Amino acid sequence: MIKFRLDKILKEQNMSVSTLSKLTGISRPSLSAMSNNTSRSVNLDFLENIMSTLNVGLTDIIYEEENKITIRYNLKNKKPWYVFSLIATNSKEEVIFENEVGFITQKEYNETTKEYYKSFTSLEKKEVPWGQLQSYNFVVNPVKYSTEEALSTTSYKNEFMELLNFINILGKENMYKLLTALINDSLVNEELDFEELLIIPTAFLGMFYFTFDNNKVVPVNNQNQNDKNYPKIELIKQ
């Protein structure tokens, strides 16, 4: 996303938007939009005029803001649930998500669920070892989620929606990266009663599949996201 440093430059030169408007002949609303980064486009003649008046270069006044999310996580609890504290901030260091998240085991599968798993093209040519398969739900605030009363409360529904919005911001590829990190720091360090395939079901972006390789989990059917609107992510274990 293209951003302007006009406000910063004006402060450094002790100049107001009104003064710059008089010097350049550019309307004050146009300059204010650039200064506040609310302008959706820029006139090249205006830009050259501003650079000449302020004696700055193009890279001094325009920059591309990196779309990046930093996710800090810490394993707080292993039993009876795997619970992580998680805080995510954007490139402006604004908190966009902060809560506990974790995995809750599903011990039984019904036939409908099994057929749903088998319908995925990535598994059509693979014999699924149902006896060795284990599934987990990825949820917000696992301790609260485990109580039936919490599921009907407004506060938990709000937390659920916050997680939903966060996952939609990340996109599926980034969610695979996040889940891989969380799983490798929790589940794979335990004595597991399954060997080949781990499934993390969510209600948001479909199913997330993982296989084991040298005591680490690796994603299955992790297609790259081509949409540039999805951010880059940095994972920091604390």
Side-chain angles (χ1 to χ4, degrees):
M1 182 181 296
I2 300 299
K3 294 287 186 177
F4 301 99
R5 295 192 182 96
L6 182 58
D7 181 60
K8 180 175 180 291
I9 294 172
L10 290 177
K11 289 178 180 178
E12 291 174 349
Q13 298 194 15
N14 195 26
M15 183 183 298
S16 66
V17 171
S18 297
T19 300
L20 182 61
S21 177
K22 293 176 182 178
L23 292 174
T24 60
I26 301 172
S27 70
R28 182 174 176 177
S30 296
L31 291 173
S32 294
M34 290 180 62
S35 180
N36 297 327
N37 271 307
T38 57
S39 178
R40 296 185 178 180
S41 62
V42 59
N43 184 298
L44 294 180
D45 291 334
F46 284 2
L47 194 57
E48 290 179 359
N49 193 348
I50 293 170
M51 289 189 297
S52 176
T53 301
L54 297 176
N55 193 27
V56 295
L58 181 63
T59 55
D60 295 321
I61 199 169
I62 286 182
Y63 69 100
E64 185 172 2
E65 184 178 62
E66 184 179 22
N67 186 12
K68 178 182 176 181
I69 292 177
T70 301
I71 301 174
R72 294 174 172 83
Y73 65 95
N74 178 46
L75 180 61
K76 295 183 61 179
N77 188 57
K78 290 186 177 182
K79 294 181 179 180
W81 309 282
Y82 297 96
V83 181
F84 292 85
S85 61
L86 189 149
I87 180 170
T89 55
N90 60 21
S91 55
K92 296 180 180 179
E93 298 186 356
E94 299 169 334
V95 176
I96 60 174
F97 181 81
E98 182 176 10
N99 209 326
E100 292 182 350
V101 297
F103 304 116
I104 292 181
T105 307
Q106 288 185 330
K107 294 184 177 180
E108 298 180 356
Y109 302 92
N110 56 39
E111 291 301 319
T112 302
T113 304
K114 289 183 181 180
E115 291 302 319
Y116 180 71
Y117 293 157
K118 292 177 182 179
S119 68
F120 279 73
T121 57
S122 62
L123 300 179
E124 284 180 355
K125 297 181 180 180
K126 183 179 181 65
E127 182 179 354
V128 180
W130 296 109
Q132 300 176 12
L133 179 147
Q134 181 65 34
S135 176
Y136 288 82
N137 279 321
F138 180 69
V139 299
V140 64
N141 206 329
V143 176
K144 185 184 292 187
Y145 182 89
S146 64
T147 64
E148 293 183 3
E149 295 82 2
L151 299 181
S152 60
T153 63
T154 301
S155 62
Y156 188 83
K157 290 179 181 178
N158 291 337
E159 292 181 68
F160 176 87
M161 289 304 301
E162 288 174 359
L163 178 62
L164 173 60
N165 292 334
F166 177 57
I167 291 177
N168 285 332
I169 290 172
L170 291 183
K172 193 158 190 175
E173 181 181 344
N174 285 330
M175 271 303 296
Y176 260 115
K177 292 177 181 178
L178 174 59
L179 289 174
T180 299
L182 299 184
I183 294 168
N184 279 323
D185 286 334
S186 57
L187 298 176
V188 296
N189 295 322
E190 302 295 317
E191 293 184 5
L192 304 178
D193 58 357
F194 52 94
E195 299 176 357
E196 185 169 355
L197 185 64
L198 173 67
I199 300 179
I200 309 295
T202 73
F204 319 132
L205 295 173
M207 301 291 176
F208 294 84
Y209 296 86
F210 300 88
T211 58
F212 289 91
D213 183 16
N214 294 324
N215 295 323
K216 294 288 184 180
V217 292
V218 292
V220 175
N221 195 28
N222 180 16
Q223 298 180 351
N224 292 332
Q225 54 197 25
N226 297 318
D227 191 341
K228 295 183 179 180
N229 290 326
Y230 286 116
K232 296 179 181 179
I233 64 169
E234 178 183 11
L235 300 174
I236 300 177
K237 180 182 178 181
Q238 297 182 318

